Amino acid sequence: MTTIYADNAATTEMSPTAIAALTDALRESYANAASQHRMGQRAAAALLRARREIAAALGAEAGEIYFTSGGTEADNWALVSAAHAGACVGKRHIVTSSVEHHAVLNTLAALEREGFEVTYLPVGRDGLVHPEALSAALREDTCLVSIMYANNELGTVQPVASLGALCRERNVVFHTDAVQAVGHIPVDVRRDNVDMLSLSAHKFHGPKGTGALYCRRGAPLEPLMHGGAQERNMRPGTSDVPSAAAMAAALCECCAGMEETMRRVTALRDALIAEVTAHIPGAHVNCSASPRLPGIISLRFDGVDNETLLMRLDLAGICCSAGAACTAGAMGTSHVLCAVGLGREEARGTLRISLGAYNTADDIGRIAAELERSVSALRGTWKGESGT
Ligand SMILES: *Cc1c(COP(=O)(O)O)cnc(C)c1O
C-alpha cells in the first residue's frame, strides 16, 4: 500500500528542481555572499538571481524582496514594523480578520500588550472579509490592515485587490499573508494593491525554514535584528544562498506551470467532492460557494469525530489533517471554523484534505473510497464488503 500525501497546506514535498538547486548551490555557492573574492561574488550573484526571480514572480522589484526564515518571520516583521511606524505618528489602531494564521494573530496579540488596539473583522459563513466591512472599520488612527490572501484551513481566497485598494485610498499600510497563495494562484503585488506580503518556500515545493517578505518601496520596515549589513541593513546574518536559490527555483517552476496545475488540481478537488457528496450522506464542503484555492478542501461529516477519522485514514495510508498543523496537536476547536459560524460538533466533524501538484486521479479514488468506508464505520452504518 503506497502512502497518499494530502496535507499540502501543512507543507509540501520539495520538487526535484528545488532539490537540485539546493544541492548545486550547497556545492558551488557556499561562500559568504558578503565576501569580496570570486567565490563570494559567485554566491552574491546566485542570491541576486534568486531575489530577481522571486520579485518577478510577484510583479515586484528585486529591491523590494527581503529573505526571511519563513512565513512566520515575514508576518511578524511586517506587522511589527508597520505598527511601530504608525505609533510614531500617533496611530495605534490595526485591523485584521478573525480567520488569520496564528503567525498574524499572536503577533497582533503581542502588539495589543504594547498598547495597540486591534479590530478583528468577523467573516460570514462564506469565510470572506467584505470590503464594506473593512471600509467601516478603518479609522483616522488606523495604521495597518492585515488580511490573509488565502485561508489555510478553508482554502477561501479573499478579495485582496479590493481590500488593498481601500487601504491605499485611506493611506493605511496593507499587509497580506500570502503563504497559501504564492505559487498556487496568480499573485501580483501591484494589481493587488499590496504594501507588504509574506511568503514561505515550503508551501510551494521549496525547502522549509526559508521565505520572504515583499515590502513595497517606501512602506515602513524596521530592522528585524541588529548585526551585519545583509538584506540592505534590515535582516542581518550570513545569507542562506542555497535556500534562497531553491526557493526561487521552486517558485519559478510553480509559476511556469501554474495554469496547467491549477486546472489539474481543481479537477481532482472537484472529482473528490463529487464522489464524497454523492456517496456519503451528511457530507458537506465548508465555504463551498466562495472563491477557493485549487487544492484545499474543508470537508464536514455530520456525526463524525475527525480525530478518529484521521486515525483510520492514516492506517489506510492517507495523510491529511483536521485543520492547521500548528494547532492540530492541541486539539482545541479551530478559531477559523468558529469564525465561519460552525458549532463545536460541526467543527469536530471537519477534515482538511489539501491536494497538490503531485496528487493523482488514483489518489482521489482511494481517498473517496476510504472516506466512505471510514465514515460509515464510525457511524455504525457500514454495509460494505464483508470482512472489513
Ligand atoms: C504555513 C503558514 C504560515 C507559516 O509559515 P512558516 O514558513 O511555516 O513559518 C503562515 N501563514 C499561513 C497562512 C500558513 O499557511
Side-chain angles (χ1 to χ4, degrees), residues 16 27 33 35 43 46 51 57 63 75 83 106 166 172 200 214 217 219 237-239 254 265 278 301 308 319 376:
R27 260 195 308 269
S35 295
R51 201 185 300 283
D75 283 342
N106 286 338
L166 266 175
V172 176
S200 175
Y214 154 78
R217 210 174 283 287
T238 303
S239 301
C254 282
V265 177
F301 301 99
T308 333
C319 304
S376 330

Side-chain angles (χ1 to χ4, degrees), residues 21-343:
L22 183 68
T23 53
D24 286 355
L26 284 168
R27 260 195 308 269
E28 291 156 23
S29 303
Y30 58 82
N32 191 316
S35 295
Q36 294 306 304
H37 49 65
R38 66 182 66 204
M39 296 283 290
Q41 309 247 316
R42 173 187 274 217
L47 191 65
L48 178 59
R49 194 176 329 117
R51 201 185 300 283
R52 285 184 172 146
E53 287 172 346
I54 289 163
L58 302 172
E61 290 167 26
E64 297 174 313
I65 301 298
Y66 297 85
F67 291 114
T68 68
S69 67
T72 299
E73 182 184 311
D75 283 342
N76 273 260
W77 192 9
L79 300 178
V80 168
S81 293
H84 287 172
C88 286
V89 292
K91 296 182 173 184
R92 299 186 147 264
H93 177 237
I94 300 169
V95 180
T96 189
S97 83
S98 45
V99 294
E100 297 298 311
H101 190 272
H102 279 116
V104 166
L105 288 180
N106 286 338
T107 303
L108 294 179
L111 287 167
E112 282 180 304
R113 292 192 290 276
E114 278 183 37
F116 289 88
E117 188 189 334
V118 180
T119 298
Y120 298 88
L121 291 176
V123 295
R125 272 196 92 94
D126 58 6
L128 301 178
V129 174
H130 296 274
E132 312 80 67
L134 174 61
S135 181
L138 293 177
R139 312 192 314 213
E140 278 305 306
D141 64 338
T142 307
C143 59
L144 165 66
V145 170
S146 181
I147 309 279
M148 72 202 310
Y149 209 109
N151 187 270
N152 50 306
E153 293 190 42
L154 301 163
T156 42
V157 177
Q158 299 293 350
V160 173
S162 308
L163 301 171
L166 266 175
C167 294
R168 184 80 28 107
E169 215 171 87
R170 305 282 284 270
N171 208 17
V172 176
V173 174
F174 180 54
H175 166 259
T176 186
D177 174 339
V179 171
Q180 290 291 343
V182 170
H184 299 283
I185 56 174
V187 169
D188 183 302
V189 293
R190 309 269 180 253
R191 177 201 66 194
D192 295 333
N193 302 306
V194 170
D195 294 312
M196 296 171 127
L197 176 146
S198 307
L199 61 105
S200 175
H202 76 95
K203 300 289 174 77
F204 52 78
H205 307 288
K208 280 167 254 301
T210 195
L213 174 65
Y214 154 78
C215 183
R216 186 178 58 76
R217 210 174 283 287
L221 193 64
E222 64 180 26
L224 182 69
M225 291 180 288
H226 308 288
Q230 291 90 352
E231 298 300 301
R232 301 176 293 286
N233 291 310
M234 288 296 177
R235 204 245 186 201
T238 303
S239 301
D240 184 352
V241 177
S243 292
M247 168 160 59
L251 186 54
C252 286
E253 192 177 30
C254 282
C255 290
M258 189 176 286
E259 269 190 51
E260 206 272 317
T261 308
M262 283 177 67
R263 208 173 315 119
R264 203 160 41 79
V265 177
T266 303
L268 293 177
R269 176 194 75 186
D270 292 344
L272 179 59
I273 291 173
E275 277 292 308
V276 165
T277 49
H279 296 116
I280 307 178
H284 319 269
V285 178
N286 293 322
C287 301
S288 59
S290 302
R292 283 172 300 137
L293 291 170
I296 299 184
I297 316 168
S298 179
L299 272 176
R300 190 174 88 243
F301 301 99
D302 297 338
V304 168
D305 170 50
N306 57 16
E307 273 194 84
T308 333
L309 181 56
L310 279 172
M311 255 184 276
R312 284 191 61 115
L313 291 171
D314 188 27
L315 286 173
I318 298 165
C319 304
C320 54
S321 65
C326 19
T327 43
M331 260 339 247
T333 308
S334 146
H335 68 282
V336 173
L337 299 179
C338 282
V340 294
L342 295 189

